[in-house]
Amino acid sequence: QVQLVESGGGLVQAGGSLRLSCTASGRTFSSYAMGWFRQAPGKERKLVAAIDWSGVITHYADSVKGRFTISRDNAKNTVYLQMNSLKPEDTAVYYCAAPEVAFTGWGTEYNYWGQGTQVTVSS
């Protein structure tokens, strides 16, 4: 019913930028918070950025604060993750996620997941 599809990953040199996109289908996109997670090899999946249902409140992990920006375009059913000043430590599979419950803040339970997109940052 709910489908999330990420795109925009790839190989980039340290200091470079990438913009990830996640397009949702199957329900009213504008009613739901959205999040970006990442998982590096051998490590747990962690939340790196999130945006509440209204698009007003955002959250960032300390490791990416000041470098990453999450935004949403409800007309396009899409959430973005702009990643600047990339570091090798940012290398991971990045996942888009959405909750089951509508009209929540960013700190919600995420239930739906995209397939992931690989981001590799070389030194």
Side-chain angles (χ1 to χ4, degrees), residues 53-76:
W53 75 271
S54 70
V56 174
I57 306 299
T58 58
H59 166 80
Y60 302 95
D62 288 342
S63 59
V64 307
K65 195 172 298 182
R67 299 188 296 119
F68 290 11
T69 302
I70 187 170
S71 62
R72 64 191 299 160
D73 186 341
N74 291 337
K76 297 181 178 179

Side-chain angles (χ1 to χ4, degrees), residues 10-14 18 20 37-44 48 63-64 67-68 83 85-95 117-123:
L11 175 65
V12 65
Q13 296 183 51
L18 286 173
L20 306 183
F37 291 72
R38 69 185 183 189
Q39 186 170 25
K43 298 183 178 180
E44 296 183 352
V48 297
S63 59
V64 307
R67 299 188 296 119
F68 290 11
M83 305 185 294
S85 302
L86 283 162
K87 304 175 181 179
E89 305 91 89
D90 296 318
T91 296
V93 177
Y94 283 71
Y95 297 90
T117 185
Q118 176 71 47
V119 172
T120 302
V121 184
S122 65
S123 60

